[in-house]
Amino acid sequence: MSDLLLQSSSLSLLGLLVVLLIIFSISYAFKSQTDGTGPPGPRPLPVLGNLLQLDLKRPYNTYMKLWKTYGSVFTVYFGPRKVVVLAGYKTVKEALVNYAEEFGQRDPFIILGEISQEHGVTWSNGASWKEMRRFSLTNLKDFGMGRKVCEENIIEECHHLIGVLKKLKGEAFDTSQPLSYAVSNIICSIVYGSRFEYDNPEFTSLVNGTTRVLQLVGSPGARVYSVLPWIGKWFSDVKELFKLAASNKKQSLKFINCLKETLNPKICRGFVDAFLVHKQNLEKSGMTNSHYHQENLLMTVSNIFGGATDTTSATLRWALILMAKHPKIQDQVQEELARVVGHHQIQFQDRKQLPFTYAVIHEIQRLANVSPWAVPHRTSRDVTFQGHFIKKGTTVFPFLMSVLNDETEWECPHSFNPAHFLDKDGKFVKRDAFMPFSAGRRSCIGQSLARMELFMFFSTLLQHFRFIPPPRVSEDDLSLTPRVGSAIHPSPHKLCAISRCVGGGVQCYGGTSVRELSP
């Protein structure tokens, strides 16, 4: 018996020594990584890194504090994974523009890499990324992105959205679904060649599923999975994320197969048709080993659809709640619209004669800051940047929130102030530090579309409706606390859309007038 106890004690001691050796080795590795000429940052713990120091629901709040402590280039550890964060306008611009090649690779989180398999245009690298980005930019423009034909589609969609809101007759409603459906239909008309009714179950399932996936990507469980997948896989939101991603992929494939069955190479209805025709032409010429395959098409469509829906609809939701919270600014927008446009259909070119309205839209984008950081980058080679040595293959976060809240660039960085984009004569002015779409070679490919959509939807909605809090809810009660997700949406809320009419200088809300705006 004593021999057994002695043997058990020896094994326990040996096990303890092994554990201590592992901890010491990991600690030494972390110490080695944080020493030297690399960017400074909080000291990481073994295995966990800086996870316990980060607000996993809203990590951008932690980054803002670390920026003040460690400067514009600092390091954090997601478990054993080193991440360099770039903060402030001058630093982010210098890295993405002047060091575009060095900081130009994409670095997907594990969870997103597993979903995309590095296909598509957002999470890919190398020759596949270059080809998909080139093809996407060319064909999205060919099918109207940022052009007159796209403006006509937005005007048509505005009419549908106005009809939906008018049927509510001023009752409080959740802004999320109608705005998401309207925005999604614009990219659907470009990608698939047609729009969908808001009650189409396949369409609403895809939109709602995509929105939910992007929300789950920003959940604490997904962040843990990207660091410690063997733990993160047990989180319920991670399981839901993979299930929804598979369902969305299946739905997108169904849409694509329907288009494939009716494909006419002489008449391309949208982006998918153009991809399929190009793929056929390559196969006819004997090029079977190309980047034009089903996985790249599925993920490229998913990237475009998700990117064009989530951030734009989130910005519009912020726009309406900010108007309800700042009624005097809403008054000024509607006065300018009534004076300049009146009851006529708003055109994209009207933005030049609507400086205050255009400034308000830009300030909404700046303050809402729906994409707090650019999609993660990765260094393509060793680089010394602002005196800090950064190894090849290091994950880099361009922290866009710090750019849009940079106290050296904005007079009132934390307040809603449209004067940021107006000169002393009330004319619209561009600001260099306005960078909501990132910058450089990895900037958002759909930014021209987003600019047109934001102006057209926002100005048309305010032309037709007054947005106010629900009954028994004051302006002060409207919360600007963001919801957790990959993009920053407002927390769930409801607003009332009160029909308004403008004509002959008369403005009214909720009643009849000489001339009502026709949708």
Side-chain angles (χ1 to χ4, degrees), residues 347-423:
Q347 307 287 331
F348 187 51
Q349 64 182 11
D350 291 333
R351 70 192 187 283
K352 299 173 183 177
Q353 283 73 48
L354 296 166
F356 186 78
T357 301
Y358 206 41
V360 166
I361 294 170
H362 279 69
E363 181 65 358
I364 290 166
Q365 286 183 268
R366 187 197 69 80
L367 189 66
N369 193 14
V370 297
S371 298
W373 42 77
V375 181
H377 289 231
R378 183 171 63 205
T379 48
S380 61
R381 53 177 173 259
D382 290 352
V383 57
T384 299
F385 179 72
Q386 294 190 357
H388 303 290
F389 177 74
I390 304 172
K391 289 183 179 181
K392 175 183 178 180
T394 300
T395 303
V396 177
F397 283 0
F399 188 25
L400 298 184
M401 177 178 280
S402 69
V403 178
L404 298 176
N405 286 272
D406 193 330
E407 293 178 355
T408 65
E409 297 291 332
W410 305 98
E411 294 76 14
C412 307
H414 308 295
S415 301
F416 185 51
N417 182 18
H420 282 138
F421 296 93
L422 296 168
D423 64 15

Side-chain angles (χ1 to χ4, degrees), residues 230-248:
W230 45 281
I231 295 177
K233 68 179 181 178
W234 300 107
F235 283 68
S236 60
D237 48 4
V238 172
K239 294 178 181 178
E240 183 186 358
L241 172 58
F242 279 112
K243 184 177 179 180
L244 273 175
S247 176
N248 290 347

Side-chain angles (χ1 to χ4, degrees), residues 42 81 97 99 144 161 179 258 280 290 296 342 402 423 440 475 477:
R81 183 184 189 188
V97 178
Y99 288 76
L161 180 58
L179 290 177
C258 286
Q280 285 183 356
S290 75
N296 249 343
S402 69
D423 64 15
E475 294 148 8
D477 292 333

Side-chain angles (χ1 to χ4, degrees), residues 427-441:
K427 295 180 180 178
F428 178 81
V429 291
K430 295 180 179 180
R431 299 290 294 264
D432 291 339
F434 182 70
M435 202 184 290
F437 302 106
S438 192
R441 61 188 295 194

